[in-house]
Amino acid sequence: MQKHHPVVRIKTAALLILFVSALAPALDSAQAQVSLVSAVDLALKSNPRVRLAQADVDKSTAVLKESKDVYIPSITVGSGLGYSYGYPLGQPSVVNATLQGVILSWAQRDYIRAARLGLQAAILNLNDARAQVEEDTVVTYLALDRDLARQQALDEQMARAEQLETIVTDRLNAGVDSNMDLTQAKLTGAQIHLNFLNAQDQTAIDQLRLADLIGIPPTNLSTIHDSIPGLGAPTPDEGTTVLPESPTVAAAFANAAAKQHIAWGDSKKLYRPQVFLASQYSLFAKFNNYQVYFPTINGKSVFQYNNAGIGVQVSWPIFDRALKDKAQESAADAAHAYADYDNARQKDREGHAQLARSTRTLAAKAEVADLEQQLAGQQLAAIRTQLQSGAANLAGPQRTPKDQARAEVDERGKYLDFVNARFDVQQAQIQLMRAQGSLDEWLRRAAAPSAPPPTTP
C-alpha cells in the first residue's frame, strides 16, 4: 500500500486552506440579483393573497355549479335487508333506488344569479389581489434599488466627511481653525454615520420584505437597475384625470347585487309553489315470507318482486314565520352590502383624486432636488478647477482644500435628497398606474426584450 509523506499532506492541507480563504470573500460578496419582471412573476406565484383570492374563485365556481345542479336529478341506491317475524313492518327490499330533482322553483333562479354575481366578485377580487401584489413588489423593488444607491452615496459622503475632519484637525494644529470648526466637522461626520446606519437598517428591511414577497432568502438580495423601465414625467392633466373605479369597488357592487338576489330568492319561497320530481324502485325479497300476506287472485299471488313509482311533489308554503324572518334577514344583508359599496366608492374616488394631484407635487419636488444636486455639482467642479489651476479668485475669498471637502459632502447630500425624492415620485406613479389599470402594460414593456442596435453596412 502506498504511503504519503507527512510533508506532502501538510503542503496539501496548507494549499486547501489558502484556497478556501481566497474563495470566502467571493462567497460573502456574492449577491442574489433578481430583475423586476422576475420578482413580480415570483410574487404572483407564491404570494398568499393571490392564493387566497384564487381559492375564493374556485369556491364561487363550485357554488354556481351547485346552484344549477339542483335541476339535475340525484340518484340514491340502498338496501333494506332484515329479518321480520309475523307481518313485516317495512319493505323487505333487496335493492332500492330513489331519484329526486327540482322541476320548478321560483327562488332558485335568483340563487343562480346570486352565485353568478358572487363568482364575478371573486374574479374582481382576484384581479385586485394580483394588482396589489404587483404594486407592492414593484414599489419594494424600487425602494431596495433606492437603498442600494443611497448606501453607495453615503459611503462616499462618509469618506468625504472623514477627509474634512482630517483637514480641519490639521488646520487647528496650524492655528488656522478653532475647536468649534473641529466640533462642527465631527458633528457632520456623526450625522452622516447616523444616516448610514439608518440606511443600512432600511435596506435590510426592504430586502426582507422583497424576499417575503417573492419567496427567496433575503441574504445579499439586490436589484438590477437596468431592468427597471422608465416611468416618464407626470403629465400636467393628471391632477384632473377621472380615474376608473377600482376592482375593489366593482367587487363590492357585485357582492351587493348577489346579496340582493339572495334576498329576492328567500322572499319568493313564501306563497309560491315548488315542484319536485320523485321516483323510486325497489326489488322485494321472499326470504321473510312477505309474499304470504298478499292476497291471491285466481290462485296467483299479487306479490311483485319489481316495484317502481314516479310522480311529482308539490310544496306550497302558506304560513311559515321562519321563512319570512329569513327573507327579512337577507334583505338587511343586502342593504348592508350596498352601504359598503357606497362607502368603498366614496373612499376610492377621494383616494384617486388625492393620488393624481400628489403625483404632480412630488414630481416638482424631485425636479427641485435634481436642480439643487446639479448646482452643488457645478459649485464643486468650480472649486476643484480653481484649486487645480492655483488661480486666485479675485471676486471672492481664496478656495482651500477644506472648501472642496465641504462642497463634496454637500454635493453627496444633495444627491441623497434627489434619490429620495425620485423614489417618492416613482412610488406615486406606480400607484397611479395601478389605479388607471396600466401597471400590467408597464410591466410587459419591462419584460419585452430591447431592440437590437442598428447594424451599419
Side-chain angles (χ1 to χ4, degrees):
M1 183 173 61
Q2 183 180 3
K3 295 184 179 180
H4 296 281
H5 196 275
V7 176
V8 176
R9 290 199 298 268
I10 293 175
K11 288 183 177 179
T12 303
L15 290 175
L16 182 59
I17 293 173
L18 289 176
F19 175 75
V20 173
S21 301
L23 187 61
L27 294 175
D28 292 338
S29 60
Q31 292 183 339
Q33 285 189 325
V34 59
S35 66
L36 175 62
V37 175
S38 298
V40 173
D41 290 339
L42 290 172
L44 291 176
K45 293 177 181 178
S46 62
N47 194 272
R49 282 179 292 182
V50 177
R51 299 203 308 269
L52 286 171
Q54 183 61 54
D56 290 337
V57 171
D58 297 339
K59 178 182 177 180
S60 299
T61 303
V63 170
L64 177 59
K65 292 180 179 179
E66 180 183 355
S67 64
K68 294 180 178 179
D69 290 344
V70 298
Y71 291 104
I72 300 177
S74 61
I75 301 175
T76 304
V77 178
S79 177
L81 293 175
Y83 172 77
S84 62
Y85 175 77
Y87 189 85
L89 302 177
Q91 296 178 357
S93 58
V94 178
V95 176
N96 60 79
T98 303
L99 183 146
Q100 290 181 337
V102 176
I103 297 178
L104 175 63
S105 175
W106 298 93
Q108 197 61 35
R109 291 180 296 179
D110 288 306
Y111 293 154
I112 292 175
R113 295 188 185 102
R116 189 177 291 113
L117 288 168
L119 176 59
Q120 180 182 347
I123 294 174
L124 289 169
N125 285 327
L126 174 60
N127 295 335
D128 186 64
R130 290 177 60 89
Q132 181 64 54
V133 170
E134 287 178 346
E135 178 188 338
D136 291 346
T137 305
V138 172
V139 170
T140 305
Y141 191 92
L142 293 175
L144 182 57
D145 189 71
R146 181 273 315 266
D147 296 337
L148 297 177
R150 185 171 57 185
Q151 275 198 301
Q152 181 179 358
L154 283 169
D155 283 335
E156 298 172 355
Q157 193 180 30
M158 284 178 57
R160 303 294 189 273
E162 291 175 358
Q163 183 181 5
L164 175 62
E165 184 176 347
T166 301
I167 293 174
V168 174
T169 301
D170 293 340
R171 288 169 62 89
L172 177 63
N173 295 332
V176 178
D177 283 349
S178 63
N179 288 326
M180 185 181 298
D181 296 327
L182 180 59
T183 302
Q184 181 64 46
K186 290 182 178 180
L187 176 60
T188 301
Q191 291 172 339
I192 295 174
H193 183 256
L194 177 61
N195 293 335
F196 178 80
L197 295 178
N198 291 331
Q200 274 189 330
D201 294 340
Q202 187 62 48
T203 301
I205 292 174
D206 288 335
Q207 283 178 332
L208 179 61
R209 187 179 183 199
L210 182 61
D212 288 340
L213 284 169
I214 64 180
I216 66 174
T219 306
N220 293 330
L221 181 61
S222 64
T223 62
I224 301 176
H225 181 75
D226 294 338
S227 68
I228 304 174
L231 288 169
T235 57
D237 60 341
E238 282 185 348
T240 57
T241 301
V242 179
L243 300 177
E245 286 187 346
S246 65
T248 304
V249 178
F253 177 77
N255 180 63
K259 289 185 179 297
Q260 182 63 67
H261 278 285
I262 291 177
W264 288 339
D266 290 344
S267 66
K268 290 177 182 179
K269 283 186 175 181
L270 280 173
Y271 314 125
R272 285 178 175 83
Q274 289 182 302
V275 182
F276 300 91
L277 172 66
S279 177
Q280 186 174 5
Y281 165 79
S282 293
L283 176 64
F284 287 177
K286 296 195 304 180
F287 54 79
N288 56 356
N289 298 322
Y290 193 66
Q291 72 277 9
V292 175
Y293 298 95
F294 277 79
T296 58
I297 300 177
N298 297 327
K300 185 178 180 181
S301 175
V302 297
F303 176 79
Q304 294 288 335
Y305 291 108
N306 296 295
N307 302 271
I310 186 171
V312 294
Q313 178 183 354
V314 180
S315 175
W316 197 326
I318 301 300
F319 178 79
D320 193 329
R321 291 300 301 268
L323 288 179
K324 185 176 182 180
D325 294 339
K326 178 62 178 177
Q328 292 178 353
E329 177 187 350
S330 301
D333 287 340
H336 187 279
Y338 274 114
D340 285 339
Y341 160 68
D342 291 335
N343 187 34
R345 183 177 58 178
Q346 180 180 356
K347 289 184 177 180
D348 188 69
R349 185 167 55 248
E350 293 174 357
H352 282 176
Q354 182 179 3
L355 178 62
R357 294 187 178 278
S358 64
T359 303
R360 297 187 306 169
T361 304
L362 293 174
K365 290 182 180 179
E367 183 181 5
V368 172
D370 185 21
L371 293 174
E372 289 179 346
Q373 192 269 336
Q374 292 182 25
L375 179 61
Q378 293 169 358
Q379 293 173 346
L380 175 60
I383 294 175
R384 286 175 176 172
T385 301
Q386 184 179 358
L387 289 176
Q388 290 174 0
S389 62
N393 184 12
L394 301 179
Q398 182 67 28
R399 298 298 185 181
T400 63
K402 175 184 175 182
D403 297 326
Q404 178 179 342
R406 186 178 295 165
E408 289 172 344
V409 171
D410 182 66
E411 188 274 334
R412 289 291 84 186
K414 297 298 183 183
Y415 175 75
L416 289 169
D417 293 339
F418 166 69
V419 168
N420 292 327
R422 181 182 60 186
F423 168 72
D424 291 338
V425 69
Q426 286 176 338
Q427 181 179 10
Q429 285 180 293
I430 294 298
Q431 294 173 348
L432 186 61
M433 282 194 297
R434 182 204 166 188
Q436 293 172 337
S438 59
L439 183 57
D440 282 337
E441 180 183 355
W442 182 76
L443 289 172
R444 284 195 297 269
R445 189 165 68 248
S450 57
T455 57
T456 56

